[in-house]
Amino acid sequence: MSYNPAAMSPPLLTSTEVARRLGVTAATVKRWADVGLLDCERTAGGHRRFTPEAVDRFRREHAAGAGEPRFADRLLEETEPIALQAELLRERARLGGWWRVAEWLAPEIEELGRRWAAGEIGIVEEHLASERLARALARCAETLPVRRDAPRVLLAAADGDEHVLGLALVDLCFREEGWRPLWAGRAVPTEEVVREVEEGTADAVALSASVVSDPARLAAEAAAVGEACARTGAALVVGGQGSWPERIPHGRVERTFEGLRRWMAEVERRG
C-alpha cells in the first residue's frame, strides 16, 4: 500500500468556512487575506484557500480582532439599503432609542475610515458602504413623524466638509423628538448658513464637522453663525469629530448624542 502525504493532510478551508471559525463575514476574511494578515493559498481558478494551521495562528495572534462581526463588515458586504434598514430597526428596538443607535453606529463609521486609511479597503468600497448606510438612515428617518409645533433645525456640514454620515445620525435624533430638520447637506458655505438664519428659516442650527475640517475655518464659521443666531434668537449647536473651539460665542459644542438630547431639551424649555 503506497503512502500519499497529500491524502493525510487536513483539507484546505474556504473563506466561508474560515469566517464561521473566526466569527466574522467572508468578506472580512478575504480582506484580511488580501492585505497579508491571514496567510492563504490560491487555487488554479484564483480562489482563496486556507490551512487550519494558518487560521489557528491568526486566531492566536489577532484574538482581539477576530471576535463578533462588526456592523462595518455588514456595510461592506450588504448591497441592499432595505436590509441595512431592517438591522438598524432591530438595533433601535434593542437599545431603546435612535440616539443610542447613533452612539453605537459612530465607531462603525470611524472603522470604515480607519480601514480606508490603512489600505484595507479601497475608496470605492468606502464610498459605496457610506452611501448604503446614508440611504438606510434616510429610510429610517422618513418613518418618524414631525410635531406640528416642533422647532425647525437647519442641518449643515461645515463649510468645505463633504462628510455627512454624522449629520445623518443627528437628523435621526432630531426626528425622534419630533423636530423638523431642514437638510442643507454637505459643504455648506458659511455665508449661506448665516443668510438662512437671518431670514428666519430655522429656530435652531446644527453644524457638523469631520476631522478633515480646518480648525481656523471652523472657528471662523462658529463665530459668524453664532453672531447671526444671537441677533435672531436662534439656538446653535456644533459637533462631530472636527476641531471646533472648546467654547463658541453663542451656542454649544456637543460631542455626544446624549449631550445633543440634553441641548434639545433645554432649547424646548426656553421655547
Side-chain angles (χ1 to χ4, degrees), residues 16-251:
T16 300
E17 291 169 333
V18 173
R20 293 195 192 102
R21 291 193 177 199
L22 297 180
V24 296
T25 66
T28 297
V29 170
K30 293 174 183 177
R31 285 191 293 274
W32 283 340
D34 291 345
V35 299
L37 291 175
L38 178 56
D39 293 335
C40 79
E41 301 175 15
R42 293 279 183 168
T43 67
H47 299 291
R48 304 167 189 81
R49 292 293 182 267
F50 307 83
T51 65
E53 292 79 12
V55 175
D56 289 340
R57 182 167 60 252
F58 179 89
R59 194 201 308 271
R60 291 192 300 270
E61 294 174 356
H62 302 273
E68 291 297 318
R70 296 195 62 153
F71 192 68
D73 296 313
R74 292 287 293 130
L75 294 175
L76 290 163
E77 187 176 62
E78 179 57 66
T79 59
E80 294 299 328
I82 193 169
L84 295 175
Q85 179 192 10
E87 293 198 33
L88 292 174
L89 290 171
R90 283 194 291 270
E91 287 301 319
R92 167 63 178 81
R94 180 177 71 87
L95 296 172
W98 280 117
W99 72 271
R100 293 186 185 276
V101 175
E103 297 278 13
W104 169 75
L105 267 177
E108 302 303 311
I109 296 172
E110 293 174 12
E111 174 67 7
L112 284 178
R114 184 201 66 77
R115 293 183 187 185
W116 171 77
E120 297 175 19
I121 59 175
I123 189 66
V124 173
E125 285 183 284
E126 192 273 338
H127 282 180
L128 288 175
S130 297
E131 178 62 19
R132 290 171 198 138
L133 178 57
R135 291 171 63 189
L137 290 171
R139 294 174 69 100
C140 292
E142 289 167 0
T143 66
L144 300 174
V146 174
R147 303 196 320 260
R148 291 177 62 88
D149 61 342
R152 299 161 302 161
V153 55
L154 181 68
L155 304 183
D159 196 343
D161 198 319
E162 296 286 337
H163 297 80
V164 293
L165 274 180
L167 199 63
L169 299 180
V170 170
D171 182 31
L172 262 179
C173 293
F174 279 120
R175 287 180 181 274
E176 184 163 40
E177 297 301 320
W179 284 40
R180 190 181 301 276
L182 308 174
W183 181 267
R186 65 185 76 240
V188 182
T190 300
E191 58 270 21
E192 293 290 329
V193 177
V194 169
R195 186 181 68 184
E196 294 298 323
V197 171
E198 292 181 336
E199 290 181 354
T201 302
D203 306 300
V205 178
L207 300 176
S208 175
S210 69
V211 293
V212 303
S213 287
D214 176 66
R217 196 171 185 176
L218 291 181
E221 181 165 13
V225 177
E227 289 172 4
C229 288
R231 290 193 295 270
T232 62
L236 171 64
V237 65
V238 303
Q241 298 298 313
S243 297
W244 295 102
E246 287 304 313
R247 295 181 181 277
I248 56 179
H250 178 81

